[in-house]
Amino acid sequence: MAKAACDRLFINAHFATMTPGGEPYGAIDADALAVTGDRISWLGLAEDGLPDAPEVIDLEGRWITPGLIDCHTHLVYAGNRAQEFEMGLNGATYEEIAAKGGGILSTVMATREASESDLAAESQTRLQALISAGVTTVEIKSGYGLDLENEVKMLEAAKHLGEINPVRVLKTFLGAHALPPEFAGDSDGYMAKVIHEMLPTIHALGLVDAIDAFCEKIAFSEDQVRQLFKAADRMNIPVKIHAEQLSNQRGAELAAHFRALSADHLEYIDEKAVKEMARAGTVAVILPGAFYYLRETQKPPIKLFREHGVPMALATDCNPGSSPTTNPQLMMNMAAVLFRLTPEEALAGFTRNAAKALGLSSEIGTLEVGKQADLAIWDIEHPSELTQAIGSNPLYSRIFGGQ
């Protein structure tokens, strides 16, 4: 039977489709893939007959995976904290650094002072690094503005980056990230502002694909986050959470109650909460960059996530204070070495499970007919190389939406 013509045809390739339940990496007996418009339109063997295409690309035995997905970043910000890093290595405590104007509030001040165009320009360099590493979808959080004007500015900058680059940008409102200086000692007052002023306005502006909150002793309580999630639920906005990074504050259980897309960090989560996440379909986003950078010792319970069937995603957590990286492959290697994820689990963490953590499983994350033609093409002999090498970049080419 003649096959329908396509726009672009890739031949002589190997495929790690990352579909679950079959061969490792979802590897299939196929050597060619067709793209029509922005979709995968055919996947099969050349010997069975190829679709007609005006453009045929011979990949000479290279591997194709889904485009990588970075599902947790704080990529938009101004300034940097390199001097604070040096101070800490020289013995300064967190409190001493904060007393000298450092810590998260130093990033808040720099971000507030930057114009939207300056913020986008500074963040463009970080986004380009992710694109060059094979990323085709990136989530970008706000959370360094901590007032309406500057949270909007951050989300507008993220939106602009998605408009001028060949990458899909998801915008997450993280107003409940930290307490701004003008609300010192009044976390209830600030959360009320987030719920009743900031969230409705940002939602009305079309700048929020999901909301997030930091549920921790140094941030916001379970009850405060619950009120925020109730408000988001009334607006049909998906929720995510930073939870159980430094202690167990029951944030992951709360997230599961609201059927959150993901709960992230999770070093201190217990088995009861893992079971709740499994029932809710909430993804565990593992962030080895922050674990490494902060020299933490409590590891996320990978065995429990496996036992209870909780999907594990990985992300760079790109941010100036605890994970200043734009290297997905380094995160895959860290997840394997520090937490003992398998290379297949690590790659699933930046593809299939990352898509689920953003609510986009039906569109991206695996190589299947009908899905978006977001592809990463690699100069490798086996997909395990993507995790084994420490921070290398064997990307040969990257396809976004078929282009």
mmCIF file of all heavy atoms in Angstrom, residues 68-117:
data_model
loop_
_atom_site.group_PDB
_atom_site.id
_atom_site.type_symbol
_atom_site.label_atom_id
_atom_site.label_comp_id
_atom_site.label_asym_id
_atom_site.label_seq_id
_atom_site.Cartn_x
_atom_site.Cartn_y
_atom_site.Cartn_z
ATOM 1 N N LEU A 68 14.292 16.801 24.579
ATOM 2 C CA LEU A 68 14.337 16.830 26.038
ATOM 3 C C LEU A 68 13.379 17.886 26.585
ATOM 4 O O LEU A 68 13.100 18.901 25.945
ATOM 5 C CB LEU A 68 15.755 17.109 26.520
ATOM 6 C CG LEU A 68 16.834 16.116 26.076
ATOM 7 C CD1 LEU A 68 18.159 16.439 26.762
ATOM 8 C CD2 LEU A 68 16.425 14.670 26.347
ATOM 9 N N ILE A 69 12.892 17.631 27.794
ATOM 10 C CA ILE A 69 11.919 18.498 28.459
ATOM 11 C C ILE A 69 12.462 18.860 29.830
ATOM 12 O O ILE A 69 12.704 17.968 30.656
ATOM 13 C CB ILE A 69 10.561 17.776 28.601
ATOM 14 C CG1 ILE A 69 10.015 17.364 27.225
ATOM 15 C CG2 ILE A 69 9.548 18.658 29.347
ATOM 16 C CD1 ILE A 69 8.914 16.316 27.298
ATOM 17 N N ASP A 70 12.680 20.146 30.066
ATOM 18 C CA ASP A 70 13.161 20.599 31.380
ATOM 19 C C ASP A 70 11.950 21.128 32.139
ATOM 20 O O ASP A 70 11.488 22.247 31.926
ATOM 21 C CB ASP A 70 14.223 21.687 31.208
ATOM 22 C CG ASP A 70 15.057 21.885 32.459
ATOM 23 O OD1 ASP A 70 14.696 21.319 33.513
ATOM 24 O OD2 ASP A 70 16.065 22.614 32.403
ATOM 25 N N CYS A 71 11.424 20.316 33.055
ATOM 26 C CA CYS A 71 10.102 20.569 33.640
ATOM 27 C C CYS A 71 10.141 21.360 34.942
ATOM 28 O O CYS A 71 9.093 21.573 35.560
ATOM 29 C CB CYS A 71 9.352 19.251 33.842
ATOM 30 S SG CYS A 71 10.085 18.151 35.085
ATOM 31 N N HIS A 72 11.313 21.840 35.366
ATOM 32 C CA HIS A 72 11.404 22.650 36.595
ATOM 33 C C HIS A 72 12.613 23.564 36.457
ATOM 34 O O HIS A 72 13.755 23.137 36.628
ATOM 35 C CB HIS A 72 11.554 21.735 37.816
ATOM 36 C CG HIS A 72 11.672 22.467 39.127
ATOM 37 N ND1 HIS A 72 10.910 22.127 40.233
ATOM 38 C CD2 HIS A 72 12.458 23.490 39.540
ATOM 39 C CE1 HIS A 72 11.235 22.909 41.255
ATOM 40 N NE2 HIS A 72 12.184 23.759 40.846
ATOM 41 N N THR A 73 12.364 24.847 36.139
ATOM 42 C CA THR A 73 13.448 25.822 36.100
ATOM 43 C C THR A 73 12.985 27.145 36.698
ATOM 44 O O THR A 73 11.793 27.458 36.721
ATOM 45 C CB THR A 73 13.978 26.116 34.681
ATOM 46 O OG1 THR A 73 13.168 27.113 34.047
ATOM 47 C CG2 THR A 73 14.030 24.871 33.815
ATOM 48 N N HIS A 74 13.972 27.901 37.165
ATOM 49 C CA HIS A 74 13.787 29.298 37.588
ATOM 50 C C HIS A 74 14.651 30.156 36.659
ATOM 51 O O HIS A 74 15.421 31.004 37.105
ATOM 52 C CB HIS A 74 14.207 29.477 39.041
ATOM 53 C CG HIS A 74 13.525 28.552 40.006
ATOM 54 N ND1 HIS A 74 12.516 28.966 40.847
ATOM 55 C CD2 HIS A 74 13.699 27.232 40.272
ATOM 56 C CE1 HIS A 74 12.107 27.947 41.598
ATOM 57 N NE2 HIS A 74 12.813 26.879 41.259
ATOM 58 N N LEU A 75 14.528 29.924 35.383
ATOM 59 C CA LEU A 75 15.481 30.410 34.397
ATOM 60 C C LEU A 75 15.493 31.931 34.252
ATOM 61 O O LEU A 75 16.519 32.526 33.921
ATOM 62 C CB LEU A 75 15.172 29.729 33.053
ATOM 63 C CG LEU A 75 16.095 29.984 31.887
ATOM 64 C CD1 LEU A 75 16.378 28.694 31.139
ATOM 65 C CD2 LEU A 75 15.479 30.994 30.924
ATOM 66 N N VAL A 76 14.360 32.581 34.495
ATOM 67 C CA VAL A 76 14.286 34.037 34.345
ATOM 68 C C VAL A 76 14.641 34.715 35.669
ATOM 69 O O VAL A 76 13.910 34.602 36.655
ATOM 70 C CB VAL A 76 12.885 34.478 33.873
ATOM 71 C CG1 VAL A 76 12.727 35.991 33.963
ATOM 72 C CG2 VAL A 76 12.645 34.024 32.435
ATOM 73 N N TYR A 77 15.752 35.398 35.675
ATOM 74 C CA TYR A 77 16.168 36.178 36.854
ATOM 75 C C TYR A 77 17.271 37.132 36.418
ATOM 76 O O TYR A 77 17.814 37.015 35.308
ATOM 77 C CB TYR A 77 16.650 35.277 37.995
ATOM 78 C CG TYR A 77 17.862 34.428 37.678
ATOM 79 C CD1 TYR A 77 19.163 34.924 37.833
ATOM 80 C CD2 TYR A 77 17.717 33.119 37.229
ATOM 81 C CE1 TYR A 77 20.276 34.145 37.536
ATOM 82 C CE2 TYR A 77 18.819 32.334 36.936
ATOM 83 C CZ TYR A 77 20.093 32.852 37.086
ATOM 84 O OH TYR A 77 21.181 32.082 36.798
ATOM 85 N N ALA A 78 17.624 38.059 37.278
ATOM 86 C CA ALA A 78 18.729 38.984 37.014
ATOM 87 C C ALA A 78 19.820 38.790 38.047
ATOM 88 O O ALA A 78 19.570 38.328 39.163
ATOM 89 C CB ALA A 78 18.232 40.426 37.046
ATOM 90 N N GLY A 79 21.036 39.177 37.679
ATOM 91 C CA GLY A 79 22.155 39.092 38.604
ATOM 92 C C GLY A 79 22.665 37.677 38.765
ATOM 93 O O GLY A 79 22.217 36.750 38.084
ATOM 94 N N ASN A 80 23.635 37.516 39.675
ATOM 95 C CA ASN A 80 24.119 36.175 40.002
ATOM 96 C C ASN A 80 24.602 36.176 41.451
ATOM 97 O O ASN A 80 24.696 37.225 42.091
ATOM 98 C CB ASN A 80 25.223 35.729 39.046
ATOM 99 C CG ASN A 80 26.533 36.458 39.268
ATOM 100 O OD1 ASN A 80 27.220 36.225 40.261
ATOM 101 N ND2 ASN A 80 26.884 37.356 38.344
ATOM 102 N N ARG A 81 24.880 34.988 41.953
ATOM 103 C CA ARG A 81 25.244 34.865 43.358
ATOM 104 C C ARG A 81 26.622 34.201 43.512
ATOM 105 O O ARG A 81 26.880 33.489 44.487
ATOM 106 C CB ARG A 81 24.164 34.067 44.106
ATOM 107 C CG ARG A 81 22.739 34.596 43.846
ATOM 108 C CD ARG A 81 22.002 34.984 45.072
ATOM 109 N NE ARG A 81 21.611 33.884 45.917
ATOM 110 C CZ ARG A 81 20.440 33.226 45.865
ATOM 111 N NH1 ARG A 81 19.528 33.563 44.964
ATOM 112 N NH2 ARG A 81 20.160 32.267 46.718
ATOM 113 N N ALA A 82 27.495 34.422 42.526
ATOM 114 C CA ALA A 82 28.808 33.784 42.554
ATOM 115 C C ALA A 82 29.623 34.227 43.766
ATOM 116 O O ALA A 82 30.327 33.414 44.383
ATOM 117 C CB ALA A 82 29.569 34.084 41.259
ATOM 118 N N GLN A 83 29.527 35.511 44.121
ATOM 119 C CA GLN A 83 30.298 35.982 45.277
ATOM 120 C C GLN A 83 29.803 35.355 46.568
ATOM 121 O O GLN A 83 30.594 35.056 47.473
ATOM 122 C CB GLN A 83 30.235 37.506 45.354
ATOM 123 C CG GLN A 83 31.076 38.197 44.285
ATOM 124 C CD GLN A 83 31.036 39.704 44.422
ATOM 125 O OE1 GLN A 83 29.960 40.311 44.484
ATOM 126 N NE2 GLN A 83 32.203 40.320 44.468
ATOM 127 N N GLU A 84 28.487 35.129 46.667
ATOM 128 C CA GLU A 84 27.951 34.459 47.843
ATOM 129 C C GLU A 84 28.456 33.021 47.925
ATOM 130 O O GLU A 84 28.747 32.509 49.017
ATOM 131 C CB GLU A 84 26.425 34.462 47.804
ATOM 132 C CG GLU A 84 25.804 35.855 47.857
ATOM 133 C CD GLU A 84 24.306 35.797 47.659
ATOM 134 O OE1 GLU A 84 23.697 34.772 48.041
ATOM 135 O OE2 GLU A 84 23.736 36.756 47.119
ATOM 136 N N PHE A 85 28.553 32.372 46.766
ATOM 137 C CA PHE A 85 29.098 31.012 46.711
ATOM 138 C C PHE A 85 30.519 31.002 47.270
ATOM 139 O O PHE A 85 30.878 30.149 48.096
ATOM 140 C CB PHE A 85 29.072 30.540 45.261
ATOM 141 C CG PHE A 85 29.714 29.201 45.018
ATOM 142 C CD1 PHE A 85 29.172 28.042 45.549
ATOM 143 C CD2 PHE A 85 30.855 29.094 44.236
ATOM 144 C CE1 PHE A 85 29.756 26.802 45.319
ATOM 145 C CE2 PHE A 85 31.445 27.863 43.998
ATOM 146 C CZ PHE A 85 30.892 26.714 44.535
ATOM 147 N N GLU A 86 31.304 31.977 46.845
ATOM 148 C CA GLU A 86 32.679 32.072 47.331
ATOM 149 C C GLU A 86 32.721 32.366 48.826
ATOM 150 O O GLU A 86 33.524 31.778 49.572
ATOM 151 C CB GLU A 86 33.426 33.160 46.559
ATOM 152 C CG GLU A 86 34.903 33.232 46.868
ATOM 153 C CD GLU A 86 35.642 34.191 45.956
ATOM 154 O OE1 GLU A 86 34.988 35.094 45.391
ATOM 155 O OE2 GLU A 86 36.858 34.033 45.816
ATOM 156 N N MET A 87 31.837 33.253 49.294
ATOM 157 C CA MET A 87 31.782 33.557 50.727
ATOM 158 C C MET A 87 31.470 32.305 51.540
ATOM 159 O O MET A 87 32.068 32.047 52.590
ATOM 160 C CB MET A 87 30.727 34.629 50.988
ATOM 161 C CG MET A 87 31.090 36.019 50.477
ATOM 162 S SD MET A 87 29.665 37.146 50.490
ATOM 163 C CE MET A 87 29.284 37.222 52.248
ATOM 164 N N GLY A 88 30.527 31.523 51.054
ATOM 165 C CA GLY A 88 30.158 30.297 51.764
ATOM 166 C C GLY A 88 31.310 29.317 51.833
ATOM 167 O O GLY A 88 31.550 28.676 52.870
ATOM 168 N N LEU A 89 32.063 29.179 50.748
ATOM 169 C CA LEU A 89 33.211 28.280 50.749
ATOM 170 C C LEU A 89 34.310 28.770 51.684
ATOM 171 O O LEU A 89 35.118 27.972 52.184
ATOM 172 C CB LEU A 89 33.760 28.128 49.328
ATOM 173 C CG LEU A 89 32.849 27.380 48.343
ATOM 174 C CD1 LEU A 89 33.459 27.396 46.957
ATOM 175 C CD2 LEU A 89 32.601 25.947 48.797
ATOM 176 N N ASN A 90 34.328 30.075 51.916
ATOM 177 C CA ASN A 90 35.316 30.645 52.831
ATOM 178 C C ASN A 90 34.831 30.680 54.276
ATOM 179 O O ASN A 90 35.484 31.285 55.138
ATOM 180 C CB ASN A 90 35.702 32.051 52.370
ATOM 181 C CG ASN A 90 36.585 32.030 51.144
ATOM 182 O OD1 ASN A 90 37.351 31.104 50.940
ATOM 183 N ND2 ASN A 90 36.470 33.049 50.301
ATOM 184 N N GLY A 91 33.654 30.056 54.531
ATOM 185 C CA GLY A 91 33.223 29.877 55.907
ATOM 186 C C GLY A 91 32.052 30.708 56.371
ATOM 187 O O GLY A 91 31.583 30.542 57.500
ATOM 188 N N ALA A 92 31.556 31.623 55.542
ATOM 189 C CA ALA A 92 30.415 32.450 55.953
ATOM 190 C C ALA A 92 29.160 31.590 56.061
ATOM 191 O O ALA A 92 28.913 30.719 55.233
ATOM 192 C CB ALA A 92 30.196 33.582 54.960
ATOM 193 N N THR A 93 28.347 31.828 57.079
ATOM 194 C CA THR A 93 27.089 31.109 57.230
ATOM 195 C C THR A 93 26.023 31.744 56.347
ATOM 196 O O THR A 93 26.179 32.869 55.854
ATOM 197 C CB THR A 93 26.611 31.144 58.684
ATOM 198 O OG1 THR A 93 26.286 32.512 59.033
ATOM 199 C CG2 THR A 93 27.670 30.609 59.623
ATOM 200 N N TYR A 94 24.913 31.016 56.170
ATOM 201 C CA TYR A 94 23.797 31.555 55.385
ATOM 202 C C TYR A 94 23.296 32.858 56.002
ATOM 203 O O TYR A 94 22.996 33.822 55.295
ATOM 204 C CB TYR A 94 22.657 30.533 55.313
ATOM 205 C CG TYR A 94 21.498 30.996 54.452
ATOM 206 C CD1 TYR A 94 21.500 30.776 53.077
ATOM 207 C CD2 TYR A 94 20.403 31.665 55.010
ATOM 208 C CE1 TYR A 94 20.454 31.211 52.279
ATOM 209 C CE2 TYR A 94 19.354 32.102 54.217
ATOM 210 C CZ TYR A 94 19.381 31.871 52.871
ATOM 211 O OH TYR A 94 18.352 32.306 52.081
ATOM 212 N N GLU A 95 23.229 32.879 57.351
ATOM 213 C CA GLU A 95 22.738 34.074 58.035
ATOM 214 C C GLU A 95 23.673 35.257 57.809
ATOM 215 O O GLU A 95 23.224 36.387 57.609
ATOM 216 C CB GLU A 95 22.585 33.788 59.534
ATOM 217 C CG GLU A 95 21.449 32.838 59.887
ATOM 218 C CD GLU A 95 21.784 31.377 59.616
ATOM 219 O OE1 GLU A 95 22.977 31.067 59.324
ATOM 220 O OE2 GLU A 95 20.860 30.539 59.672
ATOM 221 N N GLU A 96 24.982 34.999 57.814
ATOM 222 C CA GLU A 96 25.955 36.067 57.578
ATOM 223 C C GLU A 96 25.860 36.597 56.151
ATOM 224 O O GLU A 96 25.939 37.808 55.916
ATOM 225 C CB GLU A 96 27.367 35.556 57.870
ATOM 226 C CG GLU A 96 27.641 35.323 59.350
ATOM 227 C CD GLU A 96 28.932 34.562 59.598
ATOM 228 O OE1 GLU A 96 29.430 33.895 58.659
ATOM 229 O OE2 GLU A 96 29.445 34.628 60.727
ATOM 230 N N ILE A 97 25.668 35.688 55.216
ATOM 231 C CA ILE A 97 25.520 36.105 53.813
ATOM 232 C C ILE A 97 24.254 36.931 53.649
ATOM 233 O O ILE A 97 24.244 37.980 52.982
ATOM 234 C CB ILE A 97 25.504 34.867 52.893
ATOM 235 C CG1 ILE A 97 26.875 34.190 52.900
ATOM 236 C CG2 ILE A 97 25.112 35.251 51.477
ATOM 237 C CD1 ILE A 97 26.914 32.848 52.204
ATOM 238 N N ALA A 98 23.144 36.472 54.269
ATOM 239 C CA ALA A 98 21.876 37.203 54.183
ATOM 240 C C ALA A 98 22.001 38.591 54.811
ATOM 241 O O ALA A 98 21.454 39.578 54.300
ATOM 242 C CB ALA A 98 20.763 36.409 54.851
ATOM 243 N N ALA A 99 22.741 38.687 55.921
ATOM 244 C CA ALA A 99 22.907 39.971 56.606
ATOM 245 C C ALA A 99 23.655 40.978 55.733
ATOM 246 O O ALA A 99 23.507 42.195 55.901
ATOM 247 C CB ALA A 99 23.648 39.765 57.920
ATOM 248 N N LYS A 100 24.433 40.482 54.781
ATOM 249 C CA LYS A 100 25.160 41.357 53.860
ATOM 250 C C LYS A 100 24.404 41.564 52.555
ATOM 251 O O LYS A 100 24.976 42.000 51.562
ATOM 252 C CB LYS A 100 26.546 40.763 53.588
ATOM 253 C CG LYS A 100 27.447 40.742 54.819
ATOM 254 C CD LYS A 100 28.822 40.184 54.495
ATOM 255 C CE LYS A 100 29.714 40.189 55.736
ATOM 256 N NZ LYS A 100 31.070 39.648 55.451
ATOM 257 N N GLY A 101 23.105 41.249 52.593
ATOM 258 C CA GLY A 101 22.265 41.468 51.415
ATOM 259 C C GLY A 101 22.221 40.316 50.444
ATOM 260 O O GLY A 101 21.761 40.460 49.308
ATOM 261 N N GLY A 102 22.691 39.141 50.863
ATOM 262 C CA GLY A 102 22.720 37.987 49.982
ATOM 263 C C GLY A 102 21.485 37.118 50.113
ATOM 264 O O GLY A 102 20.479 37.510 50.697
ATOM 265 N N GLY A 103 21.587 35.908 49.578
ATOM 266 C CA GLY A 103 20.453 34.985 49.615
ATOM 267 C C GLY A 103 19.428 35.301 48.541
ATOM 268 O O GLY A 103 19.656 36.117 47.641
ATOM 269 N N ILE A 104 18.271 34.662 48.651
ATOM 270 C CA ILE A 104 17.235 34.816 47.631
ATOM 271 C C ILE A 104 16.824 36.273 47.456
ATOM 272 O O ILE A 104 16.516 36.720 46.347
ATOM 273 C CB ILE A 104 16.006 33.937 47.949
ATOM 274 C CG1 ILE A 104 15.012 33.959 46.785
ATOM 275 C CG2 ILE A 104 15.338 34.360 49.236
ATOM 276 C CD1 ILE A 104 13.880 32.989 46.952
ATOM 277 N N LEU A 105 16.872 37.048 48.530
ATOM 278 C CA LEU A 105 16.427 38.442 48.399
ATOM 279 C C LEU A 105 17.385 39.267 47.562
ATOM 280 O O LEU A 105 16.988 40.290 46.997
ATOM 281 C CB LEU A 105 16.239 39.061 49.789
ATOM 282 C CG LEU A 105 15.068 38.491 50.594
ATOM 283 C CD1 LEU A 105 14.918 39.222 51.925
ATOM 284 C CD2 LEU A 105 13.763 38.564 49.804
ATOM 285 N N SER A 106 18.636 38.843 47.438
ATOM 286 C CA SER A 106 19.538 39.555 46.537
ATOM 287 C C SER A 106 19.098 39.368 45.088
ATOM 288 O O SER A 106 19.166 40.299 44.276
ATOM 289 C CB SER A 106 20.982 39.081 46.720
ATOM 290 O OG SER A 106 21.162 37.746 46.299
ATOM 291 N N THR A 107 18.618 38.172 44.759
ATOM 292 C CA THR A 107 18.083 37.935 43.418
ATOM 293 C C THR A 107 16.776 38.697 43.226
ATOM 294 O O THR A 107 16.504 39.225 42.140
ATOM 295 C CB THR A 107 17.864 36.433 43.182
ATOM 296 O OG1 THR A 107 19.115 35.753 43.325
ATOM 297 C CG2 THR A 107 17.307 36.165 41.789
ATOM 298 N N VAL A 108 15.957 38.762 44.272
ATOM 299 C CA VAL A 108 14.714 39.545 44.190
ATOM 300 C C VAL A 108 15.037 41.007 43.890
ATOM 301 O O VAL A 108 14.421 41.631 43.004
ATOM 302 C CB VAL A 108 13.907 39.423 45.499
ATOM 303 C CG1 VAL A 108 12.721 40.386 45.493
ATOM 304 C CG2 VAL A 108 13.417 37.988 45.679
ATOM 305 N N MET A 109 16.005 41.576 44.580
ATOM 306 C CA MET A 109 16.342 42.983 44.360
ATOM 307 C C MET A 109 16.855 43.209 42.947
ATOM 308 O O MET A 109 16.466 44.161 42.272
ATOM 309 C CB MET A 109 17.386 43.432 45.384
ATOM 310 C CG MET A 109 16.898 43.473 46.825
ATOM 311 S SD MET A 109 15.459 44.560 47.070
ATOM 312 C CE MET A 109 14.139 43.334 47.258
ATOM 313 N N ALA A 110 17.743 42.320 42.472
ATOM 314 C CA ALA A 110 18.279 42.462 41.121
ATOM 315 C C ALA A 110 17.185 42.306 40.068
ATOM 316 O O ALA A 110 17.161 43.031 39.064
ATOM 317 C CB ALA A 110 19.388 41.433 40.900
ATOM 318 N N THR A 111 16.271 41.373 40.301
ATOM 319 C CA THR A 111 15.183 41.143 39.349
ATOM 320 C C THR A 111 14.217 42.320 39.330
ATOM 321 O O THR A 111 13.743 42.735 38.266
ATOM 322 C CB THR A 111 14.448 39.832 39.699
ATOM 323 O OG1 THR A 111 15.391 38.751 39.658
ATOM 324 C CG2 THR A 111 13.313 39.550 38.731
ATOM 325 N N ARG A 112 13.922 42.875 40.486
ATOM 326 C CA ARG A 112 13.040 44.039 40.535
ATOM 327 C C ARG A 112 13.651 45.237 39.821
ATOM 328 O O ARG A 112 12.939 46.025 39.191
ATOM 329 C CB ARG A 112 12.727 44.393 41.994
ATOM 330 C CG ARG A 112 11.770 43.434 42.675
ATOM 331 C CD ARG A 112 11.469 43.856 44.111
ATOM 332 N NE ARG A 112 10.446 43.021 44.732
ATOM 333 C CZ ARG A 112 9.945 43.232 45.948
ATOM 334 N NH1 ARG A 112 10.398 44.245 46.681
ATOM 335 N NH2 ARG A 112 9.007 42.421 46.428
ATOM 336 N N GLU A 113 14.953 45.365 39.895
ATOM 337 C CA GLU A 113 15.615 46.517 39.284
ATOM 338 C C GLU A 113 15.750 46.389 37.767
ATOM 339 O O GLU A 113 15.897 47.393 37.069
ATOM 340 C CB GLU A 113 17.000 46.708 39.918
ATOM 341 C CG GLU A 113 16.953 47.182 41.362
ATOM 342 C CD GLU A 113 18.311 47.137 42.041
ATOM 343 O OE1 GLU A 113 19.298 46.803 41.351
ATOM 344 O OE2 GLU A 113 18.370 47.425 43.253
ATOM 345 N N ALA A 114 15.701 45.174 37.254
ATOM 346 C CA ALA A 114 15.875 44.947 35.820
ATOM 347 C C ALA A 114 14.587 45.253 35.064
ATOM 348 O O ALA A 114 13.486 44.992 35.550
ATOM 349 C CB ALA A 114 16.285 43.498 35.572
ATOM 350 N N SER A 115 14.722 45.801 33.860
ATOM 351 C CA SER A 115 13.562 45.984 32.987
ATOM 352 C C SER A 115 13.176 44.641 32.393
ATOM 353 O O SER A 115 13.958 43.680 32.419
ATOM 354 C CB SER A 115 13.894 46.956 31.863
ATOM 355 O OG SER A 115 14.846 46.376 30.974
ATOM 356 N N GLU A 116 11.972 44.549 31.839
ATOM 357 C CA GLU A 116 11.549 43.294 31.226
ATOM 358 C C GLU A 116 12.482 42.901 30.087
ATOM 359 O O GLU A 116 12.854 41.736 29.945
ATOM 360 C CB GLU A 116 10.114 43.421 30.704
ATOM 361 C CG GLU A 116 9.580 42.131 30.091
ATOM 362 C CD GLU A 116 8.207 42.299 29.471
ATOM 363 O OE1 GLU A 116 7.364 42.991 30.063
ATOM 364 O OE2 GLU A 116 7.982 41.741 28.383
ATOM 365 N N SER A 117 12.881 43.874 29.269
ATOM 366 C CA SER A 117 13.763 43.567 28.143
ATOM 367 C C SER A 117 15.136 43.125 28.630
ATOM 368 O O SER A 117 15.734 42.194 28.071
ATOM 369 C CB SER A 117 13.885 44.773 27.210
ATOM 370 O OG SER A 117 14.414 45.892 27.896
#
